[in-house]
Amino acid sequence: MRVAIAGAGNVGRSIAQELIENGHQVMLIERQPKMLRPDRVPDADWVLADACELASLEEADLAGCDVVVAATGDDKVNLVVSLLAKTEFAVPRVVARVNRAENEWLFTEQWGVDVAVSKPRVMAALVEEAVTVGDLVRLMTFRQGEANLVEITLPPTAPYVGQPLHAVPLPRDSALVAILRGKRVLVPSPDDPIEAGDELIFVCTAEVEDAVRAVVLGPDSVERTREER
């Protein structure tokens, strides 16, 4: 993929390095000359420009990018970059960094954002995921598709423990995409049995989260979770 990243601070450079190591072409856009440090990510294309200016983005050929990442430390800048990328250049995928949790509600498809990444939300999700067994934990929201990435760690009492996946009647608009078992990442297949302690990773719409919880953890799990919260 060709990826443009607005903001060449620590976050932007870290994302760029990771993507380059995975074989992608990356362009870093930075408006402050002192932040231009090509030696930090030598395989990226570095552009000195204001990512909020239409002319600068045209010159950088943003329309030729598959993904734009708005990774600056300013939420206002990230929103403007996202909106321009989507509406003016029709970039297929826009990912935006949310710096202040109170601004998260703004990062929607109306502003051109497909995926909003909030560090407080991610940290909270990781904490929940690390300590929660027998409940559904929302890890990420995909704005454009109105779907969520969710995780359930199976307790020994889960109804389908020991049974193959094809026996689990998952609701419509949900899909099991991975099983984390110890240090292994398993691609689910219909004949694979699920085990106590498995971390099941689903993509599903918000509307069917309770149904997924009820199937995987038992019909009483939804009411029990509501009472505990």
Side-chain angles (χ1 to χ4, degrees), residues 136 169-172 206-217 222:
L136 180 146
L170 289 176
R172 185 179 179 181
E207 288 76 13
V208 301
E209 283 184 359
D210 280 350
V212 170
R213 182 190 281 112
V215 167
V216 175
L217 297 173
V222 175

Side-chain angles (χ1 to χ4, degrees), residues 95-170:
V95 179
R97 172 188 177 188
V98 184
N99 294 279
R100 299 178 65 87
E102 61 266 30
N103 294 332
E104 190 173 359
W105 65 277
L106 288 166
F107 286 73
T108 65
E109 61 182 6
Q110 284 73 29
W111 277 94
V113 178
D114 295 311
V115 179
V117 181
S118 167
K119 286 189 287 185
R121 171 185 281 190
V122 171
M123 290 177 69
L126 290 173
V127 169
E128 287 189 285
E129 186 270 337
V131 302
T132 303
V133 176
D135 196 7
L136 180 146
V137 177
R138 184 179 295 178
L139 300 176
M140 181 179 290
T141 298
F142 302 100
R143 299 287 184 181
Q144 190 176 44
E146 298 182 357
N148 300 317
L149 186 70
V150 303
E151 183 267 355
I152 297 176
T153 300
L154 288 182
T157 55
Y160 292 97
V161 166
Q163 298 191 41
L165 286 173
H166 65 73
V168 183
L170 289 176

Side-chain angles (χ1 to χ4, degrees), residues 54-91:
L54 195 59
S56 297
L57 297 179
E58 288 176 346
E59 188 173 343
D61 188 26
L62 207 72
C65 293
D66 302 293
V67 181
V68 165
V69 181
T72 79
D74 188 325
D75 285 343
K76 296 188 295 295
V77 171
N78 290 344
L79 284 171
V80 171
V81 171
S82 299
L83 187 63
L84 291 175
K86 185 65 71 175
T87 60
E88 298 294 332
F89 299 97
V91 175

Side-chain angles (χ1 to χ4, degrees), residues 19 45 75 84 98 151 156 164 175 177 187-188 200:
L19 290 170
D45 297 323
D75 285 343
L84 291 175
V98 184
E151 183 267 355
V177 295
V187 178
L200 307 183

Side-chain angles (χ1 to χ4, degrees), residues 171-191:
R172 185 179 179 181
D173 296 328
S174 66
L176 178 64
V177 295
I179 300 174
L180 309 183
R181 183 174 296 161
K183 296 182 178 180
R184 299 178 62 199
V185 179
L186 307 177
V187 178
S189 65
D191 294 326

